[in-house]
Amino acid sequence: MYIYNVTTNIEESAHTEWLKWMKEVHIPDVLATGKFLSAKMAKVLVEEDMGGITYSVQFTTVDKETLEKYYKEDADRLRQDATQLFAGKFVSFRTELQIVSEH
């Protein structure tokens, strides 16, 4: 199993609109690709020097091949939506995690 983690810092001025969009549009759109089993969204509880509010969204997928297929077929389109709606109001970085064990 793999986790595709997207960490985003969003400006406070756009926070409410962005959070609603993430919950109601973006996360469901990513899950609708059929490449992920589930998604969890968490607020990061560390204050950033740059300000804003930070969230982590973790999408679980079965294997690296499925994640690569997401990158190839869906990622650009879905990332573009965020860029158009919230241009200049957020920064994101992505991390791939491989689950080693669960207890």
Side-chain angles (χ1 to χ4, degrees):
M1 296 278 259
Y2 279 77
I3 295 172
Y4 172 57
N5 180 77
V6 182
T7 302
T8 302
N9 178 276
I10 182 75
E11 288 183 7
E12 289 187 38
S13 65
H15 173 256
T16 302
E17 181 183 358
W18 177 86
L19 187 59
K20 182 179 184 343
W21 175 77
M22 285 294 291
K23 291 177 179 179
E24 296 177 5
V25 178
H26 186 67
I27 292 172
D29 284 352
V30 173
L31 291 173
T33 67
K35 297 177 177 84
F36 298 98
L37 305 171
S38 64
K40 290 181 186 176
M41 182 179 208
K43 185 176 182 181
V44 177
L45 300 178
V46 174
E47 279 193 41
E48 297 288 344
D49 292 338
M50 65 195 284
I53 302 168
T54 303
Y55 289 87
S56 168
V57 182
Q58 298 181 347
F59 298 95
T60 304
T61 189
V62 293
D63 54 30
K64 178 75 170 169
E65 292 74 24
T66 304
L67 185 54
E68 291 296 331
K69 194 173 177 185
Y70 168 77
Y71 292 148
K72 184 184 244 185
E73 297 175 1
D74 307 293
D76 287 343
R77 170 180 52 85
L78 292 168
R79 289 176 188 167
Q80 189 174 48
D81 292 345
T83 302
Q84 289 174 348
L85 290 169
F86 302 100
K89 298 189 184 231
F90 74 98
V91 293
S92 291
F93 69 89
R94 294 152 185 85
T95 310
E96 294 177 15
L97 308 166
Q98 183 179 20
I99 297 173
V100 176
S101 68
E102 294 187 60
H103 303 271

